[in-house]
């Protein structure tokens, strides 16, 4: 029994070794082995992957290069356009400066002609020959003439001021004459000045006369004039001036003018009564 088992085992081992040898040979065979075939397939796949990646890189590089040259062309075009615009601006500024220079030259020529004309006329005014006289001579003569004119103007101003002063003095004198004439007329008519305002400074115990705190010098009171005694805006009576001194005067109540129930009191206001015609 064991004999058959041992023989079967050797047969099985031998068969297994044979199949292992055949399989190993198939795997490692140079041209037709399975491992060689797998390596070939793997190499082909890697090569295809490398080629695809290379194509992708080439396409990206081509696109980047195209974009770079496009941008460069656009940039150069933009720079060219800006340079042309700047050149146009420079040309315009140059034309403006030339025009301004031409205007300045024309203005200078006009000023020179006007100056010559002024010099010629100035020479004639100061009594010099415009063709033979030097500008310095004309200027000196003109300065002397201006100084003489200024002196004459000063004399005129002084005389004008004197005339104005005489006029003011004359006006003041006329005013004083008019005031004196009016005062004389008022005194002739026994009328005190319209601006007179004074007060009762004394009341006679017998009520026969009253003293006023104004006279000829400090109020222009006129003897014989009539004055109104006022209290609270109401006329109490009429006074007739009987005596006038420098700073005081006296008066009596004009008959029939004192209000019933009223009396002249110390401190009552007294004003002028005017009957100007």
């Amino acid at each position: 029994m064991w004999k058959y088992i041992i023989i079967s085992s050797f047969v099985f081992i031998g068969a297994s070794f044979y199949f292992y040898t055949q399989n190993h040979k198939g795997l490692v065979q140079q041209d037709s082995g399975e491992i060689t075939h797998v390596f070939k397939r793997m190499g082909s796949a890697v090569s295809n992957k490398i080629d695809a990646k290379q194509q992708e890189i080439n396409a990206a590089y081509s696109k980047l290069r195209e974009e770079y040259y496009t941008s460069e062309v656009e940039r150069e075009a933009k720079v060219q356009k800006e340079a042309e615009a700047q050149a146009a601006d420079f040309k315009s500024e140059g034309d403006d400066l030339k025009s301004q220079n031409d205007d300045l030259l024309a203005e200078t020529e006009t000023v020179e002609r006007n100056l010559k004309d002024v010099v010629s006329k100035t020479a004639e005014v100061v009594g010099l020959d415009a063709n033979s006289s030097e500008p310095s001579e004309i200027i000196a003569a003109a300065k002397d003439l201006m100084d003489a004119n200024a002196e004459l103007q000063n004399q005129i101003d002084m005389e004008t001021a004197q005339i104005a002063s005489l006029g003011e003095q004359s006006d003041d004198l006329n005013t004083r004459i008019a005031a004196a004439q009016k005062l004389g007329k008022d005194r002739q008519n026994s009328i005190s000045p319209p601006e007179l305002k004074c007060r009762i400074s004394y009341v006679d115990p017998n009520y026969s006369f009253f003293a006023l705190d104004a006279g000829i010098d400090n109020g222009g009171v006129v003897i014989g004039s009539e004055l109104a005694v006022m209290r609270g805006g109401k006329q109490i009576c009429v006074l007739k001036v009987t005596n006038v001194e420098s700073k005081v005067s006296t008066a009596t109540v004009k008959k029939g003018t004192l209000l019933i129930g009223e009396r002249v009191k110390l401190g009552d206001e007294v004003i002028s009564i005017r009957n100007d015609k």
Side-chain angles (χ1 to χ4, degrees), residues 19-269:
F19 285 118
Y20 169 78
T21 304
Q22 293 297 319
N23 287 334
H24 183 267
K25 182 179 179 181
L27 288 174
V28 299
Q29 192 171 359
Q30 180 69 26
D31 295 329
S32 60
E34 185 174 350
I35 293 177
T36 302
H37 183 67
V38 169
F39 274 106
K40 285 183 178 181
R41 289 179 59 190
M42 185 176 67
S44 178
V46 171
S47 178
N48 292 336
K49 189 71 175 179
I50 292 173
D51 292 341
K53 193 65 178 179
Q54 184 66 41
Q55 291 177 0
E56 182 180 351
I57 293 173
N58 292 338
Y61 174 75
S62 178
K63 182 179 180 181
L64 181 63
R65 183 179 179 83
E66 182 180 357
E67 292 177 353
Y68 168 77
Y69 281 112
T70 301
S71 301
E72 187 69 16
V73 170
E74 291 177 352
R75 188 185 68 81
E76 291 180 357
K78 182 179 179 181
V79 170
Q80 180 67 23
K81 186 176 181 180
E82 291 177 352
E84 291 175 355
Q86 188 175 15
D89 292 339
F90 286 158
K91 184 178 183 303
S92 177
E93 291 179 2
D95 294 339
D96 292 341
L97 290 174
K98 184 177 182 303
S99 177
Q100 293 176 9
N101 184 63
D102 293 340
D103 294 340
L104 184 60
L105 289 175
E107 185 176 354
T108 302
E109 293 176 355
T110 302
V111 170
E112 289 178 350
R113 287 196 300 269
N114 293 337
L115 181 60
K116 290 180 180 179
D117 185 56
V118 169
V119 170
S120 176
K121 291 181 178 179
T122 304
E124 294 177 359
V125 170
V126 298
L128 298 176
D129 187 358
N131 296 323
S132 60
S133 300
E134 294 293 332
S136 58
E137 296 176 349
I138 297 174
I139 292 173
K143 184 178 182 302
D144 293 340
L145 185 61
M146 291 174 64
D147 292 342
N149 182 67
E151 184 177 356
L152 179 61
Q153 185 63 46
N154 290 334
Q155 293 179 0
I156 293 173
D157 293 341
M158 292 176 59
E159 291 177 358
T160 301
Q162 291 177 358
I163 292 172
S165 177
L166 291 175
E168 292 176 356
Q169 294 177 12
S170 176
D171 293 341
D172 181 61
L173 182 60
N174 290 334
T175 301
R176 293 170 61 184
I177 291 173
Q181 290 176 346
K182 185 176 183 300
L183 180 60
K185 185 178 179 180
D186 286 348
R187 288 180 176 176
Q188 288 177 1
N189 296 327
S190 298
I191 300 174
S192 291
E195 66 274 7
L196 173 64
K197 284 186 180 182
C198 59
R199 293 190 180 276
I200 300 294
S201 60
Y202 176 78
V203 177
D204 180 58
N206 298 323
Y207 211 68
S208 59
F209 73 92
F210 308 94
L212 310 177
D213 61 358
I216 186 66
D217 293 336
N218 62 344
V221 180
V222 177
I223 190 169
S225 62
E226 295 183 352
L227 308 176
V229 178
M230 307 295 293
R231 188 188 307 140
K234 181 174 67 173
Q235 181 175 308
I236 303 301
C237 66
V238 175
L239 299 179
K240 189 173 183 65
V241 179
T242 57
N243 184 51
V244 178
E245 295 182 9
S246 175
K247 295 183 179 181
V248 68
S249 55
T250 58
T252 59
V253 176
K254 184 178 180 181
K255 187 177 181 180
T257 62
L258 182 63
L259 294 179
I260 298 175
E262 293 287 356
R263 292 178 64 86
V264 177
K265 298 180 181 180
L266 189 68
D268 282 344
E269 185 180 18

